[in-house]
Amino acid sequence: MPDFDLPLVAVTPAGPPATDEPANFDLFWSRTLAEHRDIEVAPELTAASARSRGLVAEAVTFAGFGGRPVTGRLLTPADAAGPLPGVVELRPAGRDAGRDLEWLAPGGFVHLVVELPGDDLDDPYNRGVFTDAVRAVQALRTVTSVDPSRVAVLGTGPVAAAAVAAAGLLPDLACAMVEGDVPAAHKDSLVAFARRASTPLQLTQGAGAQVLLEEWGFNAALALAAMTGTVKRVVECVLTEDDDVPGRRARWITAHTHLANVFVPQVAY
């Protein structure tokens, strides 16, 4: 695998604020996350059953937005030695988090599947679901078998956009995958998150995919341009139609969680 060793870059939010972004976007999210700092995020783990003898399954509960309980399932290789890369998979509530888990963990990953409530279409910030997504990543990073510097996020179906928010708020994710439509009610917020994101992105075809592809990593590109005088894409973005879903996901995650000294533009709030 390639080994990148480039300097860290401070990436500031777009300024003056773009007219298509919600008012006081950065201030709102910095305050929202600050309000959750004193809420314990480490998950409660309870033994569960796994189909494979080589895996350990656990039911998960952690405190999400406002301390509300968020549930999911954690799958870990039974013979794990040393910290492993992790993946947070965001699914809509009501779809069994215990199903279809074994496409990744056997390859040496800690896989957390989280059930999120539906989007709040009356809230342009969608603060509940998006905060839950960030808290899910933070919860996985507290698990002792996980290397917190190598955590990816995957958003699927009706809550796919939550992965966009997580990437926009957490600049040190290994990679992100978005597999679903962008809700029109949250388009402006999601565009703002995409501009601030500094993690590699894989998109599948869906409503809003093109705008995310165009805006992703915009601030990182501006920061690099200020340093070098040239404008080019800093963050890898891929729009895919690959039908081999488990294989495609595993290849993307593996490629981006096994790099060392990765160039990570740091988003400054």
Side-chain angles (χ1 to χ4, degrees):
M1 303 299 295
D3 185 8
F4 299 98
D5 188 10
L6 297 174
L8 295 178
V9 176
V11 182
T12 57
T19 57
D20 57 352
E21 294 185 3
N24 299 316
F25 181 82
D26 297 296
L27 178 61
F28 173 85
W29 279 107
S30 64
R31 287 178 173 174
T32 298
L33 298 184
E35 291 169 358
H36 289 76
R37 286 175 185 158
D38 294 331
I39 301 177
E40 177 61 55
V41 74
E44 295 181 5
L45 304 175
T46 306
S49 60
R51 297 178 185 177
S52 171
R53 292 183 180 180
L55 301 175
V56 175
E58 294 170 291
V60 174
T61 303
F62 64 89
F65 176 69
R68 70 185 181 188
V70 179
T71 61
R73 190 68 62 95
L74 184 72
L75 212 62
T76 307
D79 57 352
L84 300 175
V87 177
V88 174
E89 180 178 346
L90 307 171
R91 295 184 183 180
R95 299 187 182 181
D96 185 3
R99 297 185 59 190
D100 308 323
L101 286 184
E102 299 190 10
W103 60 270
L104 185 63
F109 292 85
V110 180
H111 187 182
L112 172 62
V113 176
V114 174
E115 296 183 295
L116 296 183
D119 290 320
D120 183 351
L121 300 182
D122 293 326
D123 178 2
Y125 294 97
N126 202 22
R127 72 194 79 191
V129 178
F130 292 168
T131 301
D132 285 347
V134 171
R135 300 274 294 178
V137 174
Q138 294 171 329
L140 182 60
R141 283 174 163 167
T142 70
V143 176
T144 57
S145 58
V146 173
D147 179 349
S149 70
R150 295 189 292 156
V151 172
V153 64
L154 162 64
T156 63
V159 297
V164 179
L169 292 166
L170 298 170
D172 53 354
L173 290 173
C175 64
M177 290 164 287
V178 178
E179 300 180 1
D181 296 339
V182 171
H186 304 312
K187 179 182 175 181
D188 291 349
S189 281
L190 293 168
V191 165
F193 284 130
R195 290 170 179 160
R196 291 153 176 78
S198 55
T199 185
L201 170 71
Q202 184 183 90
L203 280 166
T204 59
Q205 293 284 359
Q210 191 60 42
V211 70
L212 292 182
L213 191 70
E214 294 170 355
E215 299 287 352
W216 198 266
F218 176 75
N219 285 1
L222 288 181
L224 188 64
M227 292 175 59
T228 66
T230 61
V231 178
K232 63 180 180 179
R233 183 178 289 276
V234 179
V235 183
E236 181 184 5
C237 301
V238 174
L239 184 63
T240 180
E241 297 179 341
D242 190 340
D243 292 331
D244 176 18
V245 175
R248 168 179 57 76
R249 291 174 174 174
R251 288 190 296 272
W252 181 259
I253 294 167
T254 299
H256 294 92
T257 57
H258 287 73
L259 301 177
N261 302 322
V262 181
F263 168 54
V264 180
Q266 297 296 316
V267 179
Y269 285 106

